[in-house]
Each structure stands twice: as structure tokens, then as C-alpha cells.
Amino acid sequence: MTSTTPAKKIAILGAPIEIGASQMGTLMGPDALRTAGLLTLLDSLGFAVEDHGNLSAKDVAALSDVPPGNARHYREIQRWIGAISARAYELARTGALPIFLGGDHSLSMGSVNGVARHCRESGRELFVMWLDAHADYNTPATTITGNMHGMSAAFLCGEEGLEGLLGSEPRAPIDPSRLELFGTRSIDKLEKELVKLRRISIADMRKIDEFGVGVLIRRVIDKVKAVDGALHLSFDVDFLDPDVAPGVGTTVPGGATYREAHLIMELLHDSGIVHSIDIVELNPFLDERGRTARSVVELIGSLFGQQITDRPTPTNAI
């Protein structure tokens, strides 16, 4: 971005929620990403960055719906999701590109819902790319653990079981055809059946090994561009191989390499379709001297145009 080009706006919001997962520590994720230089990097790339701090759900009133069975910490998570959804909607309306720093993946029930609500009002179709070792397509009826971070994608696609989660906050589910599971390598039996029933697009690690990330990411990009859609990137750090990113509580061997992940981010940058982002499941308590946080910041740099060697940048890039 040259000095004569107006800086694009980025809104940063931390959502330090950890009760959706079984392993505590993700509440430290937002501040770890800041400490690793995320805001400084984005500023150096020519963006106008506004940090809205960390959201708190402490003062949010509890609702009176009946909690579903097999959804751990439902009431506390409900407070978080309602607050996150409302703020996500407000930030999307400002015209800034919102980046939500997690926190466990349950936060996406709020962030994506708020962004989807704004897209719906704007007449634009929202797609969601789920970069994750897990499908997160469980419901209270299918989950083995009851952990709500494993229900996020299912909730966003309108699956039954969590109808009261948002209370009076408008729910804006996406069609399952707009969900792109990418990098999946761990999925429960009933969850797998539901994903198959909904005919959700899934690029598991076998497919990535066979075709390569470049081919598969371009397919997603083409699908979004065909309808002039917008993409929300939900980036779970466990998408990466544990050798690259040890600082997560749900490590699964055989994940994306450092270079594969950078290529994904570079191609998404060039496409210009990314309009909002989650970074979730970073657990600094499990990290090695901040190695995972630094790797994530470097990947976000590639998503926003950082280059090792100069290449022509498409005019519609982020």
C-alpha cells in the first residue's frame, strides 16, 4: 500500500472466553497476540488499526430460557455470545474489517452471527471458511464432551439445539452450502453423519495432501466471487501442525505446515474476499516462549499483504 492510498480500517476486539473448551488458558490469547506484535504489524502495512480492548460479559444479565442438556457452561457462554454478536454487528457497520481475538472457538457463534446479520442487511452473502482440525459441527444431541466450542459451526448453520442462545439478539444463520471446512482431521461419528447429510464442503487433510492447498483455496475463492460474496475467516490455531503451533489445547497431529498456511493466507489476500476474521484457541499457557503467537501474527501478516519478495498486488486485495 503506497503512502497516497487511504489506509483501510481494522477494528480489533478481544474476546477472552475459555469456558467453551475443556482446557483453560485461552482467555490469555488476545493479549498474547497483541504482545506478539499484531497491531504493530498491521500498522506497518498501512492500515488504520483501532483496538477496542477486551470484551467482558461480566455485567450481562442472565436470560431465563431453559438450558439444553449436554451443553457445558451454557448460561455463561450465552452471556458471552450475545455480547460478542452485538459488538460484531456494530463493528461491521462502521466499515472496518473486524478481527476478533480469542478465546476459544465458541466466540464465533457471536462474531460470525453479528457479521452475518450486517451482510444480510447489506444484501451480501456471507461465506465462512473454518480453518480447523475439527469440524465443530456437533449439537447438544450429538456431542460427546458437551464442550460448546465444538458446536460453533453447527449453530451458525442453524442446527437445532441452541435456539435460545442469543435471546433477543437477532440470529442470522448461514446456509450450510456457505460453510467451508478446511484442514479437518478429527470428527466425531454423529458429527460426521450430520456434515454428510448437510452436504457441507470439506477439505480434509487427505484432500489437501492429494490436491494441495493452492487448488482447494482457489475453489473456495471462485465460489465466493461467483456471487460477489464476502468471506469470514475463522482461524483455529489447531489447524496448524503441532510442530508449528504447540500452544493449543486440542492438538491433532498431521496439520498444515507453516508454508501451506502462508500460501493460504497469501491467496486469500490476493482474492480480496476476506471481510472479517476470528483467531481462536491460542493458549499461551501451553505455548513455548510465545512461538505459536508469533507464528500466528506472521500468518496474519501474509493475509494482509506482507511479502518476502515484491509481487504485483491485485487492486481488490485486502
Side-chain angles (χ1 to χ4, degrees):
M1 182 177 292
T2 65
S3 59
T4 58
T5 303
K8 296 181 180 180
K9 295 190 297 180
I10 293 176
I12 303 288
L13 180 66
I17 178 174
E18 66 176 358
I19 51 177
S22 57
Q23 176 73 53
M24 299 297 99
T26 57
L27 86 169
M28 298 183 287
D31 289 339
L33 290 167
R34 292 183 177 101
T35 301
L38 177 62
L39 277 67
T40 302
L41 173 62
L42 293 172
D43 181 74
S44 73
L45 293 172
F47 293 90
V49 182
E50 184 172 1
D51 187 355
H52 294 262
N54 289 344
L55 189 65
S56 172
K58 181 174 59 176
D59 298 325
V60 177
L63 301 181
S64 58
D65 62 315
V66 178
N70 213 17
R72 299 178 68 231
H73 304 296
Y74 174 83
R75 191 63 76 198
E76 297 91 334
I77 290 173
Q78 185 177 53
R79 293 187 178 97
W80 274 104
I81 300 312
I84 295 169
S85 178
R87 287 299 304 276
Y89 175 68
E90 292 170 4
L91 292 176
R93 292 185 69 194
T94 68
L97 188 154
I99 302 179
F100 305 95
L101 309 180
D104 69 66
H105 219 155
S106 63
L107 74 86
S108 297
M109 298 187 202
S111 60
V112 178
N113 185 79
V115 171
R117 179 183 167 199
H118 172 66
C119 284
R120 180 173 294 180
E121 292 178 357
S122 304
R124 197 165 192 189
E125 194 75 43
L126 182 69
F127 291 71
V128 178
M129 175 173 283
W130 209 257
L131 285 182
D132 198 325
H134 308 86
D136 293 341
Y137 211 84
N138 271 303
T139 69
T142 67
T143 179
I144 296 172
T145 65
N147 293 328
M148 289 185 66
H149 71 162
M151 307 181 196
S152 302
F155 172 80
L156 293 171
C157 289
E159 297 292 346
E160 296 180 355
L162 296 172
E163 289 82 1
L165 186 63
L166 283 167
S168 60
E169 178 73 14
R171 188 175 181 183
I174 65 169
D175 191 273
S177 65
R178 302 302 192 231
L179 176 65
E180 301 286 335
L181 302 179
F182 205 96
T184 314
R185 55 192 187 276
S186 177
I187 185 167
D188 299 330
K189 182 179 183 295
L190 295 178
E191 181 184 28
K192 182 179 180 180
E193 292 174 1
L194 190 54
V195 166
K196 184 177 180 180
L197 180 65
R198 298 292 184 255
R199 302 179 69 179
I200 291 171
S201 174
I202 179 167
D204 60 12
M205 290 308 298
R206 158 65 192 267
K207 189 174 287 187
I208 289 174
D209 288 342
E210 188 171 357
F211 296 99
V213 295
V215 169
L216 298 173
I217 284 292
R218 287 186 176 97
R219 288 179 183 174
V220 175
I221 291 170
D222 290 345
K223 185 188 295 188
V224 177
K225 284 188 171 183
V227 296
D228 190 28
L231 184 71
H232 177 96
L233 178 65
S234 198
F235 175 27
D236 188 321
V237 180
D238 72 17
F239 165 73
L240 300 167
D241 190 83
D243 286 342
V244 178
V248 295
T250 50
T251 56
V252 183
T257 68
Y258 184 76
R259 188 52 243 161
E260 285 174 329
H262 271 286
L263 180 57
I264 290 169
M265 299 302 182
E266 290 161 1
L267 292 173
L268 287 175
H269 167 263
D270 292 349
S271 74
I273 62 174
V274 177
H275 285 252
S276 51
I277 303 163
D278 294 328
I279 307 171
V280 302
E281 300 288 353
L282 172 64
N283 191 328
F285 184 75
L286 303 174
D287 203 3
E288 299 172 358
R289 298 176 180 265
R291 180 158 68 96
T292 304
R294 290 195 301 272
S295 294
V296 170
V297 168
E298 290 165 2
L299 288 167
I300 297 302
S302 289
L303 180 63
F304 283 90
Q306 188 175 45
Q307 300 177 5
I308 296 173
T309 58
D310 290 335
R311 301 186 312 275
T313 300
T315 56
N316 63 345
I318 295 173

